[in-house]
Amino acid sequence: MKGIFLGFTKLVLGITLALLLLSLTGIATARYFMAKLSVLPPKPMFENDAALEQPTSTETAAVPSPQPEPTPNPEPAPERPPGSYDAVVVQPIGLVLRSGPGVEHQQLGGVDYNDEVLVMETSEDERWMRVRVNETGQEGWVKSGNTQNLNEPVQ
């Protein structure tokens, strides 16, 4: 009888300790994720955000006298590397522009569907292409197969 009571006590104690460890692990995991999710990510900033900023001063600014605006000097078009070609993005959701050929590289921005780009080079494994967005002049790497050469006829 003594052996049965001792075995039963060990069983109950073992189950109790296992439930206690599982509960504490679950609580620690929940607290970790709650702490990570409570911090807001940084607000993304874009090139045109500076134009949206409002002056903080409550004073009214003096109206400047009208003066002729200087004509801006057109910037020379960036050079086209040899072997480059114009293409259009055919991926309906657009493309992610990265700093290098691979998903481990930093995201620089994106290219929308139907945007025209200049394909400047292809990676050695031909899985990535270095492009320049015609609208913004931004350069980066995108996955191959998501653009269509504008110089080739459509099949």
Side-chain angles (χ1 to χ4, degrees), residues 13-14 17-18 23 32 41 56 61-62 77 91 99 101 120 142-144 154:
L13 186 60
L17 284 175
S23 299
Y32 172 78
T56 57
Q91 177 61 261
S99 62
M120 298 186 292
V142 297
K143 276 201 155 263
S144 292
V154 179

Side-chain angles (χ1 to χ4, degrees), residues 74-117:
E75 294 183 18
E79 292 183 28
R80 292 177 67 104
S84 63
Y85 59 91
D86 289 313
V88 66
V89 176
V90 294
Q91 177 61 261
I93 59 172
L95 301 174
V96 175
L97 204 60
R98 296 188 176 274
S99 62
V103 294
E104 67 275 359
H105 293 277
Q106 178 185 11
Q107 293 183 7
L108 301 176
V111 187
D112 289 329
Y113 173 69
N114 260 355
D115 276 359
E116 290 189 15
V117 295

